Amino acid sequence: MKRTTGTATVLNKSFGRIGDVALDERKRISLTKALESLKEILGNELDAAVRFGVYVNDAGQILLTPEVPVPMHELWLYRNPQALKKVVKGLEEAREGKLIDLGSFEKYADNDID
């Protein structure tokens, strides 16, 4: 079986069965029940931009994970686990109100950046 590179990060190992589906005459399956459950979890953020990564393990289990495209200028962050970890930590601290006001940086606005 040909596989593309990459693995999925399993964020929660507790999967809940929501039903069963069968292949139709064109070997497709309906994900209607799964999408309804996904909307309950993620809200109405599902739109045409959402894609699904498809992963298969050696036991034949299939994992679909919702994904959205990332702009090229932001891709470096997702390829740098240390930087991503720092950004996530900063966002968590901001959400918790752990902020320090350093004042305005307006005086540096016209400085050249090396």
Side-chain angles (χ1 to χ4, degrees), residues 38-50:
L38 196 56
K39 277 189 174 185
E40 290 176 17
I41 296 166
L42 299 178
N44 288 326
E45 297 177 20
L46 294 179
D47 59 25
V50 175

Side-chain angles (χ1 to χ4, degrees), residues 71-83:
M72 288 297 290
H73 68 276
E74 295 178 7
L75 187 57
W76 71 270
L77 180 61
Y78 296 94
R79 290 185 173 165
N80 185 330
Q82 293 169 330

Side-chain angles (χ1 to χ4, degrees), residues 3 6 19 23 25-26 39 44-47 49 51 57 65 71 73-74 76 81 84-86 90 92-93 102 107 110:
R3 294 186 187 178
L23 295 172
E25 64 280 349
R26 294 179 60 190
K39 277 189 174 185
N44 288 326
E45 297 177 20
L46 294 179
D47 59 25
R51 312 219 7 119
N57 65 16
T65 185
H73 68 276
E74 295 178 7
W76 71 270
L84 183 59
K85 186 176 180 180
K86 289 179 182 181
E92 288 172 358
E93 289 176 355
L102 298 176
K107 65 182 178 182
D110 294 325

Side-chain angles (χ1 to χ4, degrees), residues 27-106:
K27 296 188 178 175
R28 299 174 302 183
I29 58 171
S30 171
L31 298 176
T32 303
K33 289 180 185 177
L35 293 175
E36 289 170 3
S37 295
L38 196 56
K39 277 189 174 185
E40 290 176 17
I41 296 166
L42 299 178
N44 288 326
E45 297 177 20
L46 294 179
D47 59 25
V50 175
R51 312 219 7 119
F52 289 88
V54 182
Y55 302 87
V56 178
N57 65 16
D58 291 337
Q61 294 173 311
I62 299 170
L63 172 67
L64 298 176
T65 185
E67 301 173 349
V68 293
V70 175
M72 288 297 290
H73 68 276
E74 295 178 7
L75 187 57
W76 71 270
L77 180 61
Y78 296 94
R79 290 185 173 165
N80 185 330
Q82 293 169 330
L84 183 59
K85 186 176 180 180
K86 289 179 182 181
V87 169
V88 169
K89 181 180 179 190
L91 291 171
E92 288 172 358
E93 289 176 355
R95 194 175 312 119
E96 295 168 1
K98 297 179 182 175
L99 303 172
I100 299 172
D101 186 356
L102 298 176
S104 174
F105 287 82
E106 184 178 2

